[in-house]
Amino acid sequence: MGNGVREGQVDFKRQDVEPATSTHLPSEGVQEQKKVLNSLMSGALAGAVAKTAVAPLDRTKIMFQVSSKRFSAKEAYRLIYRTYLNEGFWSLWRGNSATMVRVIPYAAIQFCAHEEYKQLLGSYYGFQGKALTPFPRFIAGSLAGTTAAMLTYPLDMVRARMAVTPKEMYSNIVHVFIRISREEGLKTLYRGFTPTILGVIPYAGLSFFTYETLKKLHADHSGKSQPSPPERLLFGACAGLIGQSASYPLDVVRRRMQTAGVMGHTYSSILLTMQEIIREEGLIRGLYKGLSMNWVKGPIAVGISFTTFDLTQILLRKLQHSTNVER
């Protein structure tokens, strides 16, 4: 009889423990997977919407960056208008397909990586579940941008080539890869990689830092946990303005190196490229050519990107929550 009681107690304890080990751990893993997937999807959509919105301005900026023509708002308007008259309305989005092929994985990786780096740095610095302090906030953004740029760089190279060449030269994205590989070598696909990384560190770092900081200041002073969509757009615009202004000269150098093969130039290094640009066009007119257009395009694109990401994240969380409640 005593043995029977002990066996019953053992069985009861076994039944009490087993469900906890079988259900608790997988649910954490599933939640983490959903979180990563949400970040990837939200980031991809954010990048696609933002870049498509400013594609004509982006193409015009690249065409000025890679030429020795002097930039002005009037000349930019003339270029857009001539392109429209000679090649049609949709030619203003030429190269946007290559942009989408690049920007969708780039934005998805960047936003997802940023969320993961924030979590890692939060654990490291002891801010788990709280807003990071300024320095880790900047580091998280820089690491996210660097990770995305390293994984998607050849697509950026292809997009730049398509933006500055006529349709007859490159018919599609695959054709660009084939011709560059055959005529200039595979190494050409990574030409301009160093200035890209050097530019991404301050650009992504300052962009994410500024946006996250403005959201935190808003929460502290307004008492609201989340800003409204117009406020998000404004915070993103400020982030884009600061980030792009800080890294712009390296963006010009990157474009020159990427398009050297089709523009009749030879650029062997960042410093030599900078020296040649300054010698031929001057410091401000050369390295900051098109910056005023970027002050229009950049804030719009970054504002749309951050806002789309945040709102998509919120929507996906609500959908998942309602699905779980129904179950």
Side-chain angles (χ1 to χ4, degrees):
M1 187 174 177
N3 289 341
V5 171
R6 279 197 297 274
E7 283 175 10
Q9 287 173 340
V10 171
D11 287 342
F12 174 77
K13 286 179 182 175
R14 188 181 296 129
Q15 287 173 4
D16 188 46
V17 172
E18 282 178 357
T21 55
S22 63
T23 59
H24 181 65
L25 293 177
S27 69
E28 280 189 356
V30 169
Q31 281 182 353
E32 184 61 30
Q33 285 176 0
K34 283 182 178 178
K35 183 187 161 194
V36 170
L37 188 60
N38 284 357
S39 296
L40 287 170
M41 289 171 62
S42 302
L45 182 63
V49 172
K51 278 295 184 182
T52 301
V54 298
L57 293 175
D58 210 22
R59 182 173 186 254
T60 303
K61 182 203 75 173
I62 292 172
M63 291 177 80
F64 273 102
Q65 282 183 328
V66 301
S67 74
S68 56
K69 291 179 184 176
R70 186 174 172 180
F71 175 84
S72 70
K74 190 176 180 181
E75 284 301 315
Y77 171 75
R78 281 179 178 171
L79 178 59
I80 292 171
Y81 188 62
R82 277 200 304 270
T83 304
Y84 164 69
L85 288 179
N86 297 334
E87 301 176 46
F89 177 73
W90 294 113
S91 66
L92 296 172
W93 275 265
R94 174 162 166 72
N96 196 50
S97 57
T99 301
M100 289 300 102
V101 170
R102 179 193 76 92
V103 86
I104 287 173
Y106 179 91
I109 292 166
Q110 180 176 239
F111 278 106
C112 182
H114 182 247
E115 294 297 308
E116 296 303 309
Y117 284 131
K118 277 201 303 183
Q119 192 172 318
L120 285 170
L121 289 168
S123 299
Y124 182 79
Y125 286 101
F127 295 106
Q128 196 68 40
K130 300 177 185 175
L132 293 173
T133 51
F135 182 67
R137 210 176 295 157
F138 175 82
I139 294 298
S142 296
L143 287 172
T146 303
T147 302
M150 288 175 68
L151 294 174
T152 61
Y153 185 77
L155 294 168
D156 186 46
M157 170 73 169
V158 167
R159 174 254 184 158
R161 284 292 180 95
M162 288 190 76
V164 300
T165 54
K167 288 185 284 187
E168 297 76 26
M169 188 162 187
Y170 298 119
S171 57
N172 55 50
I173 299 166
V174 177
H175 188 210
V176 184
F177 273 110
I178 292 170
R179 279 197 63 175
I180 289 175
S181 303
R182 187 184 300 153
E183 297 171 11
E184 301 173 55
L186 284 171
K187 279 177 68 177
T188 304
L189 292 171
Y190 280 88
R191 183 182 290 158
F193 178 71
T194 304
T196 297
I197 296 300
L198 291 176
V200 156
I201 291 169
Y203 169 66
L206 285 170
S207 294
F208 279 105
F209 168 81
T210 304
Y211 186 68
E212 294 289 325
T213 300
L214 289 173
K215 283 205 302 181
K216 185 178 183 300
L217 288 171
H218 174 271
D220 291 344
H221 289 86
S222 70
K224 294 189 291 185
S225 61
Q226 295 292 340
S228 65
E231 287 169 335
R232 290 181 195 276
L233 280 170
L234 181 61
F235 298 163
C238 292
L241 189 66
I242 293 169
Q244 293 197 346
S245 297
S247 61
Y248 195 79
L250 286 164
D251 190 44
V252 173
V253 170
R254 167 175 67 120
R255 293 302 182 201
R256 292 292 179 98
M257 293 180 78
Q258 284 177 335
T259 59
V262 293
M263 300 302 289
H265 291 280
T266 304
Y267 299 118
S268 56
S269 70
I270 298 170
L271 287 177
L272 289 175
T273 304
M274 280 188 167
Q275 285 174 2
E276 188 169 333
I277 292 170
I278 293 168
R279 187 175 64 250
E280 292 180 0
E281 303 166 50
L283 176 64
I284 303 299
R285 289 178 182 172
L287 291 178
Y288 288 91
K289 180 187 289 182
L291 179 60
S292 56
M293 178 175 284
N294 239 38
W295 283 342
V296 175
K297 177 193 77 73
I300 293 170
V302 178
I304 291 171
S305 181
F306 277 124
T307 304
T308 304
F309 176 78
D310 279 355
L311 296 181
T312 306
Q313 283 273 80
I314 292 167
L315 177 64
L316 288 173
R317 285 192 201 113
K318 283 182 178 177
L319 288 172
Q320 285 180 358
H321 180 69
S322 61
T323 305
N324 292 335
V325 168
E326 285 174 9
R327 287 177 183 174

